[in-house]
Amino acid sequence: MPNVYRQETESIFYHGFSNYMQYAYPEDELRPLSCKPLTRDQSNPAHIELNDPLGNYSLTLIDSLSTLAILASSPGSGSKRERALGHFQDGVVALVEQYGDGTETVLGMGVRARGFDVDSKVQVFETVIRGVGGLLSAHLFAIGELPITGYEPKQMAVKDSSGEETIKWSKSFKYDGQLLRLAHDLGRRLLPAFSTTTGLPYPRVNLRSGVPFYKNSPLSCESEDGQCPAIPPTNRELTETCSAGAGSLVLEFTVLSRLTGDPRFEYLAKRAFWSVWERRSNIGLIGAGIDAETGIWASSFTGLGAGIDSFFEYALKSYIILSGTSAQEHPLHGDYDMEGIDLAPPLRVEHHDPKSFLQVWEEAYAGIKHHLYRGEMYMHPHYIQADLYTGAARAYWMDSLSAFFPGLLTLSGEIDDAVEIHLLFTALWTRYSALPERWSALTGSIEGGLGWWGGRPEFIESTYHIYRATKDPWYLHVGEMALRDIKRRCWTKCGWSGMQDVRTGERNDRMESFFLGETAKYLHLLFDPDHPLNKLDAPFVFTTEGHPLLIPRSARIEQSPQRRKTMPEQVSTQVKVGTCPIPVTSVPFSISVTAARPDLFHAANLARLHLMPTIENLESPIIEFSRDHPSITLSDIRSPSNYTYFPWTLPLELVPFNGTSSAITTRPTYDITFPALPNSVLTPGMLQRVGNGILINGVGGLRLGMIQDVPRSYGGSGAEDLYRVQAINNIPLGKDEKIFMGRDIVSSVVNPQDPNFTRVRDSTMLDIVVDVADLVQESDRDPGTIDELDGPDPTVMQEVVLAGILEANSEAASHVKMALSFLANHVGSILHEQPAKPDPKYLREYLPAITPTGIGAAPVPDVVEASGPDISGAPQGFLLWNSIYVTDENCNSKLPGSIPRQYQIIVIKRGGCSFVEKLKNIPSFAPSRTSLQLVIVVSFDEGDDKGRAENLLIRPLLDSIQMTASGLPRHNPVSLVMVGGGQRVYDIFRHAVAVGLKKRYYVHTQGVPISNLIIV
């Protein structure tokens, strides 16, 4: 059957291409309903949807050349293959006739222009991926670097009059690199767009005049004084580009640089890519729109689709195509004009390393998976739109462009993730016989009336990649479904139309160039498993426009061992080493693994296929032409299955007998609403966004939206997942955002017996709060202090800390510290002791500590708790204990009897003996306000010196009652806690001036902890 489908895809392509050449060439696109050319909208320059891609340079022909080359390898007789190759060569000849051969000679002048010297303002991104990419791919086919079955350019090589080798195609035409020279001409005309200080290119450029409409560009300034106008004009050109537009140029421009020796393109494309990535948010997400002049995100909206999509694609594919190569030299090192386009900071060495691009992909995917992914508890996995800075949900629609993502996941080896996401897109195609531009997972309907499908290839592209990885026949029938629906709904006498509304079948009068350049291409390769491209053992990639590219061996700059040694270690060490998984083994007595998946109907349910009627006879606009058109068959209007089991082309023998769907997983969701008490009406000031969450200053009228979706690995014990506050009064929260509530607010308003909102004190973890001297005061201390610190004797320190002890991003800071760094102090009790007054020169550290277990464990002192800093981060309140004694393991001898009487805190190193032995070597003492209150053990376990994270702490075991050195039971057991952090934390205590403790409180709902609600 694949051979039949392949022949049908060939018919689809040639029907569109021949009609374009007959009715529209040399214009850009075809109007398939009116059988006329489609050109730029000269009367409305603001019509960017049309004018951005259409550059008045025969766009559809350029976009189709690589598909023509691929079809030239189709199985068949020699004469058929020769005809197919002839179509490719004729297309190249036609293009050269119109735009010349790319030289400065007479032959460089074509019928239409010399090169692409046309007065067209185009989008940089569209011109690179369609124009430059199409020309380069066709050139690689023409010189034999990309395979065409039976085509041997070396055997056709002849020398011209100058002695240069050319490839003789016919008596009248010899190929000598015309397409490459034209690609260089087109690329060179785009360079003025890079005249920004941010490294981000302007979104548009005129192919003849450059960027005169961007008044802040040095290339548009007045030549008389070299100055840009102080006041921007009122009709200022839009400078907003997008992450995809700026960051998806590396593939085409790198190949162009390597083939021509002009390094400017590769350098500028990489600089633009890194300029986007280095502006990512703190949670690892990038936005859609970004201003090319300021580098500021235009909005806080992010997702996977339009404006962002191909940035992720080029991160991974740049790693593939650049693998084993090193960077070309900086353009300034050669004889190349960089005037006006070398304003941004230069690239660093690691920006050229292929592994750096892989690292970007891995970090980007981790952020996507964490913040944008909605798992099986939402009926079936899918991705949403979110806030760039918080990760909070902003919208729940998916666009047709995001259907590329399963294919990209397949290339990265994430097969399981790719398959589950692709299932939903397949169900949507089954429902609409196309993919609408936007569809809402929340409502199950088309979003905002955006129901058109313009022939986009992304869904078919992903189908192709997953089939290549799994060889599951299910994907062949998905491709068949797409093929049948396209033929049934989009066929016209003069080509293939897009659909204005997938629900009604209303068509539009446009055949976009990518329909022939991508959609037909991926369908053909899907149904031709033996195509030479499908077996090519080389680091080639398909660009985001579907053009296959690689760097030929002759143009590769191999990375030398010496250069690899000089690359920064952080690049290579942070990239995980993985392998692509092998295809999943089929279920016994089944043919398709995917058709037998127990969650197949979960995707159908989310797509609402179960609500669709069974359609026995599908109406089609092509029935009247079915008798005299060879590409029309009865299969195009008849389905062997129904809408519920998808794809609708799936033969019944692939449907598992008596198959059972797994239960759809759901997560409990409900609201907790606090009554509006007198004088406690919720006002805007009661909710305050602070750092990584929201501070709640009052609960009257508050509504918390709860969901149980946090895995137990995040903390707590028990079988169920934890709850999370996902919204406050309809304000959505990101997965990592916290909710902070003062302890006094909770205790004064909430009923302690309320099962839906119960405050619980953490009996295991608490925080040790330490005041240490600020490094800026180091010059004020006694120079002899450090010498004293290095001695073997235990020392009490109330001075300053050593350099390097404190780090801004240290893992020592617990989530309580992160919360308190933005909160006002909530004091819940009256001070009954007078601690030392805090000094503003001290820094305050919060160290997670764990309490012991066993019969010898004593409770922590019931004292006034330490306070957190104010919203500005300044320390507040007092720390109770200001006499600290720091010793070693305390295993070999008994401490002097004066130590526990004079010091409130004793700090001991872990190891050397048991915890019980350490306490045994502390002499007896009479409890008082100034005597020993707490023993702190510092753990030096492996990994502790790298941070003070609480997940490294294990509860100390005191397996016997506490004894004195004389062997008698201790009358007043000593409280003990343990902290991690190794030498760094130990040094903090050596320099401590005061110590306090702060207990932790959590809120449970129905006996399950709320993971992101912190009581302070």
Side-chain angles (χ1 to χ4, degrees), residues 5 8 480-488 633 635-636:
Y5 304 151
E8 290 189 45
E480 180 195 3
M481 173 179 67
L483 180 141
R484 301 285 179 228
D485 287 332
I486 289 170
K487 291 170 60 178
R488 177 170 57 87
T633 66
S635 298
D636 294 306

Side-chain angles (χ1 to χ4, degrees), residues 595-598 601 645 655-662:
R597 285 178 64 101
F601 286 96
Y645 207 93
V655 178
F657 174 74
N658 200 24
T660 303
S661 170
S662 63

Side-chain angles (χ1 to χ4, degrees), residues 437-706:
E437 186 68 7
R438 284 187 187 179
W439 176 84
S440 172
L442 184 65
T443 65
S445 304
I446 289 175
E447 176 82 6
L450 305 180
W452 63 79
W453 182 73
R456 291 197 188 278
E458 286 76 16
F459 171 67
I460 299 169
E461 172 189 358
S462 288
T463 304
Y464 160 72
H465 284 301
I466 299 178
Y467 176 71
R468 296 298 308 160
T470 65
K471 300 299 189 296
D472 191 326
W474 191 82
Y475 295 97
L476 293 177
H477 295 288
V478 173
E480 180 195 3
M481 173 179 67
L483 180 141
R484 301 285 179 228
D485 287 332
I486 289 170
K487 291 170 60 178
R488 177 170 57 87
R489 308 190 78 187
C490 302
W491 189 90
T492 74
K493 291 184 178 181
C494 295
W496 302 95
S497 71
M499 279 182 282
Q500 193 63 32
D501 193 323
V502 296
R503 295 164 294 190
T504 65
E506 177 188 357
R507 294 180 289 174
N508 59 41
D509 196 11
R510 183 178 183 183
M511 185 177 75
E512 299 235 28
S513 69
F514 53 67
F515 180 81
L516 300 180
E518 296 185 78
T519 307
K521 178 184 298 168
Y522 283 122
L523 273 175
H524 178 84
L525 290 173
L526 172 66
F527 298 133
D528 190 358
D530 295 324
H531 193 281
L533 264 186
N534 286 331
K535 298 183 175 183
L536 182 60
D537 184 14
F540 86 98
V541 295
F542 290 95
T543 70
T544 194
E545 190 67 13
H547 297 301
L549 289 179
L550 55 72
I551 301 176
R553 291 188 177 274
S554 59
R556 296 175 71 86
I557 304 175
E558 300 297 336
Q559 191 177 44
S560 66
Q562 179 63 31
R563 180 173 179 82
R564 285 195 293 269
K565 291 179 181 178
T566 60
M567 283 294 181
E569 293 184 2
Q570 67 268 23
V571 173
S572 58
T573 57
Q574 292 182 11
V575 176
K576 66 180 181 181
V577 178
T579 57
C580 292
I582 61 175
V584 179
T585 304
S586 298
V587 178
F589 308 109
S590 70
I591 301 174
S592 168
V593 174
T594 306
R597 285 178 64 101
D599 63 343
L600 191 71
F601 286 96
H602 299 187
N605 196 47
L606 183 57
R608 281 66 166 182
L609 285 185
H610 60 290
L611 302 180
M612 299 296 294
T614 299
I615 300 179
E616 300 295 337
N617 296 310
L618 301 177
E619 296 182 1
S620 172
I622 62 173
I623 293 178
E624 56 184 296
F625 306 113
S626 60
R627 293 184 178 181
D628 56 6
H629 198 284
S631 69
I632 302 304
T633 66
L634 290 177
S635 298
D636 294 306
I637 56 175
R638 184 174 299 166
S639 169
S641 182
N642 57 38
Y643 269 110
T644 306
Y645 207 93
F646 63 98
W648 65 261
T649 49
L650 194 69
L652 296 179
E653 58 266 25
L654 261 67
V655 178
F657 174 74
N658 200 24
T660 303
S661 170
S662 63
I664 294 179
T665 304
T666 58
R667 287 291 183 264
T669 60
Y670 65 93
D671 290 348
I672 297 177
T673 302
F674 296 88
L677 302 176
N679 301 320
S680 64
V681 178
L682 188 67
T683 62
M686 289 187 177
L687 297 180
Q688 181 180 0
R689 181 166 291 282
V690 289
N692 64 333
I694 293 180
L695 168 64
I696 297 177
N697 294 313
V699 297
L702 185 71
R703 185 172 68 256
L704 303 179
M706 311 297 299

Side-chain angles (χ1 to χ4, degrees), residues 939-951:
S939 175
F940 282 73
D941 278 356
E942 182 179 356
D944 281 348
D945 58 339
K946 298 179 181 179
R948 304 188 292 270
E950 58 193 75
N951 57 5

Side-chain angles (χ1 to χ4, degrees), residues 350-406:
E350 60 267 25
H351 287 161
H352 297 288
D353 187 0
K355 290 182 179 179
S356 295
F357 290 92
L358 177 60
Q359 183 176 325
V360 170
W361 158 247
E362 291 176 346
E363 291 181 12
Y365 180 52
I368 292 168
K369 190 68 179 287
H370 184 66
H371 296 287
L372 307 184
Y373 178 79
R374 302 182 72 174
E376 61 180 10
M377 72 286 295
Y378 294 91
M379 197 173 299
H380 186 79
H382 57 281
Y383 292 91
I384 63 171
Q385 321 301 311
D387 186 273
L388 172 63
Y389 302 103
T390 67
R394 294 282 295 272
Y396 301 94
W397 50 260
M398 303 159 47
D399 62 5
S400 60
L401 284 170
S402 61
F404 88 100
F405 201 61

Side-chain angles (χ1 to χ4, degrees), residues 38 105 211 213 375 411 421 486 546 591 597 780 837 864-865 924 938:
L38 179 64
T105 66
V211 289
F213 32 81
L411 290 179
I421 298 300
I486 289 170
I591 301 174
R597 285 178 64 101
D780 297 335
K837 185 176 181 180
V864 177
E865 295 185 37
S924 300
V938 180

